[in-house]
Amino acid sequence: MSTDLAHIRNFAIIAHIDHGKSTLADRLIQICGGLADREMKEQVLDSMDIERERGITIKAQTVRLMYNAQNGETYQLNLMDTPGHVDFAYEVSRSLAACEGSLLVVDATQGVEAQTLANVYLAIDNDHEIITVLNKIDLPAAESERIKDQIEEVVGLETSEACEVSAKTGLNVEDLLEAMVTRLPAPTGDAAAPLKALLVDSWYDPYLGVMILVRMHDGVLKRGMKIKMMSSDAVHQVDQVGIFTPKIKKVDQLGPGEMGYITASIKTVADTHVGDTITEDKKACTKPLPGFKPSVPVVFCSFFPVDANDYEDLRDSLAKLRLNDASFEYEPENSLALGQGFRCGFLGLLHLEIIQERLERHYDLDLITTAPSVAYKIHHTDGGLTELHNPADMPEPTQIQAIDEPWIKAAILVPDDYLGPVLQLCTERRGEQIDLTYAGSRAMAVYRLPLNEVVFDFYDRLKSLSRGYASFDYDMDGFSESDLVRVQILVNQEPVDALAFICHRSQAEYRGRAICGRLKDLIPRQLFKIPIQAAIGGKVIARETISAMRKDVTAKCYGGDVSRKRKLLEKQKAGKKKMRQFGKVEIPQSAFIEALKMGTD
């Protein structure tokens, strides 16, 4: 039997990285009896080993808890634990669209960070009732009053009713549950209306096939029903209806306002579009729910197997990963230097890193990863417009009228002591300052930056310049025309596609010199000179030369006329010239891997 709407509360936990979202979720599960004490472990909802090792949440998770309030009523709490990292912001926005309220968790020792702001704005956009939660108040460094003032000043939320808790020890968490029951709004819906449910997420289970996470709006969802996906008109029969407690538990039906999962013998996750509306086949609702903006990859790079025989394994592994992560895209690609591989699209650098780590760890693959690049828009002289993901595919300069590159709007929160170097870094990266404000001793700089400059090694530089204290968050901010060039790397006059890159004309020489210098140390010497050049079109902008290994051909000449030695040296010289013309320079795989290492030395 479905719970009465007035006794349902749907809420998400939002916060910056490491402010204690997953730990708070653990305490709520424990207090509401979702798991017995012996089954509890830290970060219950972080199921992937990478999540547990890195201490970050990657996939948003949902749990249904039953809470007996002090007024004697029993409430159904549907909790969504969301990621805090900027690359997974699409997970956060999906979770928030399925809820009516949010718990904003702020670390009582660190205060408001960049992601705190980004997530609050997402919650406000979704018309959420927000409860402010100050976490870690058991620590000696906690400064509750100062942080409350900071939240009012920076975020603009009233903090007189803020809950002060310690998610680790469970202190005051009961009070927080009471606040949720009294302050968060109940969902709305009509059980008698035609079925209308939001598809929040989908993933592949080896035993059950595709599992779909749904948020019910109207109607009732039962086993055996014929459902229709409104975006594709595909019809499926529901095999199983259930909830997470956090363990999987089958139920008879899901009613308005509830969250749960369904399975319907769907073979691939691609058939289930996140944000789609699910309705009944025979009695369909008239208007679909607004849904979400599709996630758009912003960072691209290529994966090649070190051993060419692993190509089939790499293809299968990518297909399996795609089942659980619809935001990641890939297509086959061929490179003269590296053989067959795949060009992949990601939501950011951390997303790229996580996918790469999962491929290497779970599927035991040895990979070469090319330098990350972003998507550019090329305006052709004939009036056409194409999107470019791979520098090797860039047309000739004579065919290009203009190139647009993606820009981001970045918010950087940094202690005052490190502001100078951080502003200098943003200026070096062609940033345009929009705003600079202060919240206590911390400055908040808002910059417009080209994504190409951020992808390279911006985050690492920012962290090292600020001793790890700066926090950084960004949103895409459209495309703008820039003076961009493709720098081609030539080894012995042969272009090496895998090392080509696109950058701003002002930085082409510096980056070209850096790669040529690195290759000079990595490519083994041959019996002839090898020129390594960086070129824009036909113009060489940087060059290094690997000197030849020299064999002493005059060793057998003892005395005699000097012309004998000269004759032998001339013969050697002619041989080397011929070698340079026809000699192939084999670049070892290890040299590629080193040369493509991200970031500049």
Side-chain angles (χ1 to χ4, degrees):
M1 184 62 199
S2 297
T3 309
D4 168 30
L5 275 172
H7 292 110
I8 298 177
R9 299 290 182 271
N10 296 323
F11 66 97
I13 304 181
I14 55 175
H16 187 74
I17 311 151
D18 282 344
H19 280 206
K21 292 182 296 298
S22 298
T23 311
L24 181 59
D26 290 352
R27 284 301 78 72
L28 295 173
I29 291 168
Q30 197 174 9
I31 290 170
C32 295
L35 289 173
D37 285 351
R38 65 186 170 78
E39 296 172 304
M40 282 303 294
K41 57 184 180 182
E42 285 189 15
Q43 277 83 41
V44 171
L45 301 182
D46 290 347
S47 48
M48 283 192 268
D49 50 0
I50 294 181
E51 291 184 310
R52 305 185 69 79
E53 274 173 32
R54 289 180 173 233
I56 58 173
T57 302
I58 295 168
K59 291 292 287 179
Q61 303 281 355
T62 178
V63 182
R64 177 188 290 192
L65 302 170
M66 302 310 288
Y67 173 62
N68 298 317
Q70 290 171 5
N71 61 8
E73 303 278 354
T74 301
Y75 288 85
Q76 181 195 118
L77 306 178
N78 291 312
L79 143 75
M80 295 204 88
D81 179 29
T82 62
H85 201 280
V86 62
D87 284 14
F88 306 112
Y90 73 102
E91 291 271 354
V92 182
S93 61
R94 292 198 319 221
S95 308
L96 296 185
C99 302
E100 286 79 37
S102 293
L103 303 185
L104 172 66
V105 180
V106 180
D107 187 328
T109 61
Q110 291 182 324
V112 177
E113 297 279 5
Q115 230 99 31
T116 314
L117 283 172
N119 290 338
V120 166
Y121 296 145
L122 278 174
I124 292 169
D125 287 347
N126 283 290
D127 294 331
H128 274 203
E129 178 65 41
I130 300 172
I131 295 179
T132 309
V133 181
L134 285 187
N135 190 21
K136 307 190 187 181
I137 59 159
D138 57 317
L139 297 181
E143 301 175 272
S144 303
E145 292 310 314
R146 184 177 73 79
I147 302 302
K148 279 186 191 175
D149 293 344
Q150 193 185 44
I151 293 171
E152 291 196 356
E153 188 182 330
V154 179
V155 185
L157 288 176
E158 174 65 45
T159 56
S160 57
E161 292 187 329
C163 297
E164 297 183 24
V165 304
S166 166
K168 196 171 182 183
T169 63
L171 179 69
N172 296 344
V173 177
E174 287 268 10
D175 298 345
L176 173 60
L177 282 161
E178 283 298 321
M180 280 154 47
V181 166
T182 51
R183 285 164 55 187
L184 293 181
T188 55
D190 179 2
L195 172 67
K196 187 190 272 189
L198 177 69
L199 196 160
V200 182
D201 199 1
S202 58
W203 63 94
Y204 187 78
D205 183 282
Y207 303 105
L208 300 168
V210 176
M211 297 183 79
I212 299 171
L213 182 65
V214 292
R215 157 68 208 271
M216 298 291 293
H217 282 263
D218 293 323
V220 177
L221 190 52
K222 296 179 185 169
R223 186 171 173 235
M225 269 175 90
K226 280 226 162 87
I227 55 166
K228 182 165 86 170
M229 307 286 180
M230 288 190 84
S231 67
S232 59
D233 283 340
V235 177
H236 303 280
Q237 185 163 349
V238 178
D239 298 333
Q240 199 184 102
V241 179
I243 57 168
F244 297 100
T245 68
K247 290 186 282 195
I248 287 181
K249 181 182 173 186
K250 290 185 195 175
V251 294
D252 298 330
Q253 62 178 50
L254 290 173
E258 296 191 323
M259 278 191 215
Y261 74 87
I262 57 168
T263 62
S265 303
I266 301 170
K267 299 288 181 288
T268 63
V269 174
D271 300 339
T272 57
H273 301 286
V274 168
D276 201 353
T277 303
I278 297 173
T279 187
E280 199 174 348
D281 183 29
K282 295 282 183 279
K283 198 171 95 177
C285 61
T286 49
K287 199 172 158 210
L289 294 158
F292 316 115
K293 285 185 284 195
S295 61
V296 180
V298 293
V299 174
F300 296 85
C301 85
S302 300
F303 288 150
F304 296 93
V306 168
D307 180 355
N309 298 329
D310 289 344
Y311 176 75
E312 293 296 325
D313 291 346
L314 175 60
R315 186 172 62 193
D316 295 347
S317 308
L318 287 170
K320 284 176 187 164
L321 271 185
R322 180 86 172 79
L323 287 174
N324 281 346
D325 189 349
S327 57
F328 140 72
E329 296 176 0
Y330 67 96
E331 57 185 35
E333 184 189 33
N334 229 331
S335 158
L336 289 172
L338 298 171
Q340 287 185 305
F342 291 91
R343 186 79 182 163
C344 307
F346 309 92
L347 299 169
L349 280 179
L350 181 73
H351 191 203
L352 184 161
E353 225 176 286
I354 297 290
I355 294 280
Q356 187 184 348
E357 198 168 320
R358 285 173 75 182
L359 283 171
E360 289 176 350
R361 182 184 297 193
H362 297 171
Y363 303 104
D364 207 18
L365 290 165
D366 243 352
L367 297 176
I368 298 174
T369 311
T370 62
S373 66
V374 299
Y376 300 95
K377 287 185 176 170
I378 309 266
H379 297 271
H380 296 270
T381 45
D382 60 4
L385 176 71
T386 54
E387 201 165 88
L388 176 76
H389 295 163
N390 190 346
D393 301 335
M394 189 162 166
E396 289 302 312
T398 50
Q399 299 170 13
I400 298 171
Q401 187 177 352
I403 306 177
D404 294 348
E405 66 174 333
W407 284 64
I408 60 169
K409 190 176 173 189
I412 302 167
L413 274 150
V414 59
D416 198 23
D417 304 352
Y418 308 112
L419 182 62
V422 168
L423 295 184
Q424 192 179 340
L425 172 69
C426 292
T427 310
E428 276 171 19
R429 298 299 168 96
R430 300 189 283 132
E432 300 166 1
Q433 191 173 326
I434 298 173
D435 195 13
L436 182 62
T437 51
Y438 276 86
S441 62
R442 304 243 302 281
M444 181 169 141
V446 181
Y447 264 84
R448 202 166 168 267
L449 287 154
L451 184 62
N452 185 6
E453 301 285 348
V454 176
V455 159
F456 210 53
D457 60 345
F458 181 84
Y459 194 65
D460 297 341
R461 289 284 309 280
L462 179 70
K463 283 291 182 193
S464 61
L465 287 174
S466 65
R467 305 278 195 281
Y469 285 111
S471 61
F472 167 71
D473 183 82
Y474 67 83
D475 287 315
M476 296 308 293
D477 194 32
F479 283 75
S480 297
E481 189 181 326
S482 296
D483 184 13
L484 299 169
V485 290
R486 178 181 64 174
V487 179
Q488 187 68 275
I489 302 295
L490 309 163
V491 175
N492 201 23
Q493 267 88 46
E494 290 283 326
V496 183
D497 281 351
L499 297 175
F501 60 91
I502 293 172
C503 69
H504 194 263
R505 194 180 293 276
S506 63
Q507 295 187 334
E509 190 182 327
Y510 164 71
R511 297 244 326 250
R513 276 184 197 284
I515 285 201
C516 289
R518 198 178 300 165
L519 282 174
K520 184 187 177 186
D521 299 331
L522 295 170
I523 295 175
R525 286 167 70 189
Q526 312 277 345
L527 290 169
F528 53 93
K529 268 188 202 169
I530 305 173
I532 300 171
Q533 297 160 312
I536 300 172
K539 183 188 174 195
V540 175
I541 55 167
R543 172 177 171 141
E544 294 282 352
T545 306
I546 300 174
S547 54
M549 290 197 309
R550 183 160 175 244
K551 183 183 176 190
D552 188 1
V553 287
T554 60
K556 290 178 184 160
C557 294
Y558 297 107
D561 190 7
V562 72
S563 59
R564 281 181 66 204
K565 288 187 178 179
R566 196 170 290 136
K567 198 168 155 189
L568 285 167
L569 288 168
E570 290 296 329
K571 197 173 168 186
Q572 183 187 36
K573 198 172 171 186
K576 289 199 174 193
K577 189 176 178 186
K578 191 174 177 185
M579 247 184 183
R580 189 157 73 240
Q581 271 177 315
F582 303 108
K584 277 275 178 215
V585 180
E586 287 292 326
I587 305 176
Q589 291 287 43
S590 58
F592 266 113
I593 297 167
E594 286 301 314
L596 293 170
K597 281 266 167 77
M598 284 186 258
T600 47
D601 296 332

